[in-house]
């Protein structure tokens, strides 16, 4: 993440400098997504989720999501171009970039029918992106770190700076809740797959195409995210414990073993590492 503007600038110039960056547009996109998600949630809990404002909030949230991930993908492409790298990633490697995956899924949800649950993973991500940007860029812009008074330098002789208490609070929040929130996102994404599967079973229009697309997305997330792997592992362990109960009929146990075997076979057959270079052309998620 780019550093905040120099403290020597006047506040107005610091704000202008900040607002002219792509990163600020990325931040505004995540902030817009949060506001739209909140507005849509209010419509949803009052059973007005097909009202004009609800539809507008839902679509705008995914427009913002697509914009934020599009900015990240664009910045990664521009960085590769500036580095002079002539070899651009292939189609599989590009699709292996999780920012590209989330960009494509944001577009899918944007043009598809409303599924409120689809908003939640993007919303959780936006909470942490907004918090991180606020701590690293906004707060230092409005309140630049102050150097310690003379005579209070660190034992090493270097002048120390005093950070904002609000920034420290945000930093502790991110550090304390990040892992739990990413596990929540993983669980939501898996539950959303079952939600889409349910629509496909009752033959909702376009649901089978959506199920195929979202299955590919979840498979990619499983190969890249330890949180998704952990969430699926926990779910399988819980079902194993239920099936192991003496009251479970043998047919139920056999059916579960069949599901696990088919799932493992499908996982092995769709292992992206077979198609992407061993050195890993799949980039990590940019923040």
């Amino acid at each position: 993440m780019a550093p905040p503007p120099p403290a020597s600038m006047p506040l107005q110039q610091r704000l202008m400098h900040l607002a002219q960056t792509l990163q600020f547009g990325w931040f505004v996109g995540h902030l817009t997504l949060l506001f739209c998600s909140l507005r849509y949630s209010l419509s949803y809990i009052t059973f007005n989720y097909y009202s004009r404002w609800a539809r507008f909030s839902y679509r705008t949230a995914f427009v913002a999501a697509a914009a934020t991930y599009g900015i990240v993908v664009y910045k990664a492409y521009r960085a590769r171009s500036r580095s002079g790298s002539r070899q651009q990633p292939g189609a599989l490697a590009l699709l292996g970039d999780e920012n590209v995956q989330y960009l494509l899924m944001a577009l899918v949800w944007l043009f598809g029918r409303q599924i409120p649950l689809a908003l939640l993973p993007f919303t959780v991500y936006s909470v942490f992106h907004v918090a991180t940007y606020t701590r690293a860029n906004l707060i230092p812009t409005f309140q630049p770190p102050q150097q310690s008074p003379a005579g209070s330098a660190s034992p090493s002789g270097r002048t120390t700076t005093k950070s904002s208490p609000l920034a420290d609070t945000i930093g502790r929040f991110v550090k304390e809740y990040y892992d739990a929130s990413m596990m929540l996102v993983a669980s939501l994404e898996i539950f959303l797959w079952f939600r889409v599967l349910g629509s496909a079973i009752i033959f909702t229009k376009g649901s089978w195409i959506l199920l195929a697309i979202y299955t590919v997305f979840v498979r990619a997330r499983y190969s890249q995210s330890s949180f998704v792997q952990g969430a699926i592992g926990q779910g399988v362990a819980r079902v194993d414990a239920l099936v192991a109960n003496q009251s479970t009929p043998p047919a139920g146990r056999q059916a579960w073993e069949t599901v696990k075997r088919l799932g493992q076979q499908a996982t092995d057959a769709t292992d992206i590492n077979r198609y992407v270079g061993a050195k890993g052309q799949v980039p990590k998620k940019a923040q």
Side-chain angles (χ1 to χ4, degrees):
M1 191 170 283
S8 57
M9 290 183 176
L11 176 59
Q12 184 176 1
Q13 292 184 16
R14 294 201 301 269
L15 292 174
M16 290 296 296
H17 183 276
L18 194 70
Q20 291 172 358
T21 62
L22 270 177
Q23 198 171 28
F24 183 76
W26 172 86
F27 164 75
V28 171
H30 282 294
L31 194 62
T32 301
L33 194 155
L34 288 181
F35 281 125
C36 289
S37 296
L38 177 60
R39 179 63 184 82
Y40 182 77
S41 298
L42 293 175
S43 297
Y44 186 82
I45 62 179
T46 56
F47 303 101
N48 292 318
Y49 32 84
Y50 287 116
S51 66
R52 182 178 178 181
W53 268 110
R55 294 197 302 269
F56 175 80
S57 300
Y58 183 88
R59 302 300 175 188
T60 304
F62 282 115
V63 168
T68 57
Y69 286 99
I71 288 173
V72 175
V73 172
Y74 169 73
K75 288 182 67 176
Y77 173 80
R78 189 175 65 175
R80 286 193 296 268
S81 299
R82 287 183 174 180
S83 66
S85 176
R86 295 182 179 179
Q87 184 178 4
Q88 295 296 332
L92 285 174
L94 186 62
L95 292 175
D97 183 345
E98 58 185 3
N99 290 298
V100 174
Q101 295 164 12
Y102 277 102
L103 168 60
L104 295 177
M105 281 311 307
L107 294 174
V108 169
W109 300 127
L110 171 62
F111 294 107
R113 61 187 182 82
Q114 288 186 30
I115 300 181
L117 184 60
L119 264 177
L120 295 182
F122 290 91
T123 302
V124 175
Y125 278 131
S126 290
V127 168
F128 284 90
H129 288 320
V130 167
T132 302
Y133 186 87
T134 300
R135 174 179 177 268
N137 294 81
L138 281 185
I139 293 177
T141 298
F142 283 98
Q143 186 180 354
Q146 298 179 351
Q147 293 186 352
S148 300
S152 60
S154 63
S156 62
R158 297 179 179 178
T159 303
T160 59
T161 57
K162 183 179 180 180
S163 60
S164 166
L166 178 58
D168 292 339
T169 300
I170 294 175
R172 287 193 298 269
F173 167 81
V174 171
K175 184 177 180 179
E176 182 175 355
Y177 293 104
Y178 181 81
D179 287 348
S181 298
M182 293 306 101
M183 184 61 74
L184 173 62
V185 168
S187 300
L188 289 171
E189 290 175 341
I190 295 168
F191 186 76
L192 180 56
W193 184 87
F194 287 99
R195 167 66 178 81
V196 176
L197 175 63
S199 296
I201 291 175
I202 61 176
F203 292 97
T204 303
K205 183 179 179 180
S207 57
W208 282 101
I209 297 175
L210 178 59
L211 178 62
I213 294 173
Y214 193 66
T215 299
V216 173
F217 171 78
V218 172
R219 177 61 184 91
R221 299 299 304 127
Y222 179 80
S223 67
Q224 296 171 322
S225 171
S226 60
F227 295 106
V228 175
Q229 295 171 14
I232 292 179
Q234 289 180 8
V236 170
R238 290 176 181 175
V239 178
D240 282 339
L242 292 174
V243 171
N245 194 296
Q246 295 296 329
S247 62
T248 303
R253 298 178 187 176
Q254 185 176 2
W256 173 238
E257 292 300 326
T258 301
V259 169
K260 287 202 300 182
R261 184 177 68 255
L262 292 176
Q264 186 60 53
Q265 291 175 355
T267 300
D268 294 339
T270 55
D271 186 0
I272 196 173
N273 291 325
R274 294 183 178 185
Y275 310 103
V276 180
K279 291 186 178 180
Q281 297 179 20
V282 180
K284 298 291 185 180
K285 183 172 185 177
Q287 300 242 342

